[in-house]
Amino acid sequence: MSASLLEQLIDAFRVLPGVGQKSAQRMAYHVLEREREGGRRLADTLAKAIERIGHCRRCRDFSETDICATCGSASRDAHQLCLVESPADRLAIEQATGYRGLYFVLQGRLSPLDGIGPRELGLDTLAARLAEGEVQEMIIATNPTVEGEATAHYLAQLARQHKVRPSRLAHGVPLGGELEYVDRGTLSHAFGSRSEMPD
Amino acid sequence: MSASLLEQLIDAFRVLPGVGQKSAQRMAYHVLEREREGGRRLADTLAKAIERIGHCRRCRDFSETDICATCGSASRDAHQLCLVESPADRLAIEQATGYRGLYFVLQGRLSPLDGIGPRELGLDTLAARLAEGEVQEMIIATNPTVEGEATAHYLAQLARQHKVRPSRLAHGVPLGGELEYVDRGTLSHAFGSRSEMPD
Ligand SMILES: [Zn+2]
Ligand SMILES: [Zn+2]
């Protein structure tokens, strides 16, 4: 017997993070009982977003256009480049701090066992950009996890090869934590008191 | 400035129950970063479900067909009719108990201040059904809230008018709680030890 459309819908909701069987059921019933209009909008927007949102050619962040609004903005300081693991981390920094420089989104971190090396993180593009000579400081905001620290170390070496000064967010971000979930105050403080990385 | 598609997507996710700004952000980023295929399936299934899932003409539960599978089944006992407030409550009872009778889904509870009276709950249809004479016991499984109890009382009177025996789930379901969130064991026990309602 094939699954009913309702069962298929409950199953489909489980693709969302943190959503198990029970929450998926609640979501399906809630939408069908009380939010058909909002549910239709969600379906439309989700389909459209998946179709149209790609990555900025310059910073690898999500973008509907070839070059994102931040990279294309004349009012951002091109001397500072902040490196983050994910678009969510970039958003967290943008919302919590007064940073006016540019970003580079790795879309991951070095993880040799998973086959994620420098190429997968776009570090060839990054190296070419550093070679342009405009970037003076590289703010390395990878997560303070083992892999994030190893990635930071690798990035700092790459920066020095191009005479770019690497810096790292100050302690204050809890060790082993995920940047995305750090409260604004802590993140803002850590960002402000970043220090130059030792050799 | 109009909202970007990403912002629209984050906003659209907030239609889901229990999803605030932060969770909506996580959902949008998660789907775009790691689950585009699953996200596409969710968008499709959601649109299809909203378009095709209506209500069973006999029990008012969700159904893709005019009469749902339960109402159309020859193996269910038509002498017992279980009344619940919502499709989610019906599902909770179906999954937790060995009940083999039929259901009637009120899609709400009496709430005069919100303009929800007997007609909005389909009680005219219910009365016509009781008049058919096949139902012998009406198991009233409305929530143990003030409005749910008032609804139960009203339903019990309707049952007696048609010489149908009204019963109510046993205590065990926590007062003020929502049936949908009661654990299976408690719900199963309460269902099994339901008692006839006093006049
Ligand atoms: Zn960009
Ligand atoms: Zn039915």
Side-chain angles (χ1 to χ4, degrees):
Chain A
M1 203 180 106
S2 72
S4 75
L5 200 45
L6 183 60
E7 288 164 330
Q8 288 173 43
L9 179 59
I10 292 168
D11 191 58
F13 271 121
R14 298 196 55 182
V15 79
L16 300 176
V19 174
Q21 177 66 17
K22 193 80 190 174
S23 313
Q25 244 174 41
R26 271 178 67 210
M27 288 176 172
Y29 281 111
H30 179 84
V31 167
L32 290 170
E33 278 173 42
R34 284 185 285 275
E35 288 282 6
R36 291 194 176 222
E37 194 42 60
R40 210 172 279 125
R41 196 176 63 242
L42 173 57
D44 284 355
T45 312
L46 183 55
K48 219 186 289 175
I50 289 173
E51 192 191 312
R52 297 196 200 154
I53 296 179
H55 296 281
C56 169
R57 197 158 46 81
R58 194 141 173 88
C59 73
R60 295 164 53 102
D61 190 16
F62 290 136
S63 177
E64 294 169 61
T65 49
D66 197 38
I67 301 284
C68 76
T70 303
C71 287
S73 165
S75 68
R76 308 286 304 210
D77 180 357
H79 297 122
Q80 290 184 307
L81 188 66
C82 178
L83 271 84
V84 291
E85 293 182 19
S86 73
D89 291 342
R90 178 206 170 284
L91 183 68
I93 288 177
E94 188 71 6
Q95 290 178 340
T97 73
Y99 181 60
R100 297 298 301 159
L102 296 172
Y103 294 93
F104 189 89
V105 182
L106 298 166
Q107 301 284 359
R109 60 199 106 179
L110 290 176
S111 182
L113 292 178
D114 302 316
I116 300 177
R119 185 209 296 269
E120 283 69 30
L121 303 183
L123 298 195
D124 40 355
T125 314
L126 177 63
R129 179 155 178 184
L130 296 182
E132 290 171 11
E134 201 166 23
V135 177
Q136 292 168 359
E137 179 187 4
M138 189 158 104
I139 302 168
I140 303 174
T142 53
N143 285 310
T145 57
V146 173
E147 286 178 343
E149 292 293 351
T151 306
H153 194 73
Y154 188 96
L155 290 169
Q157 288 182 316
L158 185 67
R160 284 192 202 96
Q161 283 166 21
H162 291 86
K163 312 281 182 248
V164 170
R165 191 160 31 92
S167 62
R168 187 99 175 97
L169 300 204
H171 281 302
V173 177
L175 281 168
E178 298 273 310
L179 223 65
E180 185 181 347
Y181 302 109
V182 174
D183 68 284
R184 281 171 81 111
T186 307
L187 187 55
S188 182
H189 172 84
F191 194 88
S193 46
R194 63 186 178 269
S195 61
E196 185 157 352
M197 288 181 76
D199 286 297
Chain B
M1 202 179 107
S2 73
S4 74
L5 199 44
L6 183 60
E7 288 164 330
Q8 288 174 42
L9 179 60
I10 291 168
D11 191 60
F13 270 122
R14 299 195 54 181
V15 78
L16 300 176
V19 175
Q21 177 67 15
K22 193 79 190 176
S23 312
Q25 244 173 43
R26 270 178 66 209
M27 288 176 172
Y29 281 111
H30 179 84
V31 166
L32 290 171
E33 279 174 41
R34 287 186 283 273
E35 288 282 5
R36 292 195 173 221
E37 194 42 59
R40 210 171 278 124
R41 196 175 64 241
L42 173 57
D44 283 355
T45 313
L46 182 54
K48 220 186 289 175
I50 289 172
E51 191 191 312
R52 298 197 198 153
I53 296 178
H55 296 281
C56 169
R57 197 157 46 82
R58 197 145 171 83
C59 73
R60 294 165 52 102
D61 189 17
F62 289 135
S63 177
E64 294 169 61
T65 50
D66 199 37
I67 300 284
C68 76
T70 304
C71 288
S73 164
S75 69
R76 307 287 302 211
D77 180 358
H79 297 121
Q80 290 183 307
L81 188 66
C82 178
L83 271 84
V84 289
E85 293 182 19
S86 73
D89 291 343
R90 178 207 170 283
L91 183 69
I93 288 176
E94 187 71 6
Q95 290 179 339
T97 73
Y99 181 61
R100 297 298 301 158
L102 296 173
Y103 293 94
F104 188 89
V105 182
L106 299 166
Q107 301 284 1
R109 59 197 109 177
L110 291 177
S111 180
L113 292 180
D114 301 316
I116 301 178
R119 184 210 295 268
E120 283 69 30
L121 302 184
L123 298 194
D124 41 353
T125 315
L126 177 65
R129 178 154 177 185
L130 296 182
E132 290 170 11
E134 201 165 25
V135 177
Q136 291 167 1
E137 179 187 5
M138 189 158 102
I139 303 167
I140 304 175
T142 52
N143 285 310
T145 56
V146 173
E147 287 179 342
E149 292 294 352
T151 307
H153 194 73
Y154 188 98
L155 290 169
Q157 289 181 315
L158 184 69
R160 285 193 200 93
Q161 282 165 22
H162 292 88
K163 312 277 180 253
V164 170
R165 190 160 31 91
S167 62
R168 185 99 176 99
L169 300 205
H171 281 302
V173 177
L175 281 169
E178 297 275 310
L179 223 67
E180 184 182 347
Y181 303 109
V182 173
D183 68 283
R184 282 174 78 114
T186 307
L187 186 57
S188 182
H189 173 84
F191 195 88
S193 46
R194 63 186 178 270
S195 60
E196 190 159 336
M197 287 180 77
D199 287 298

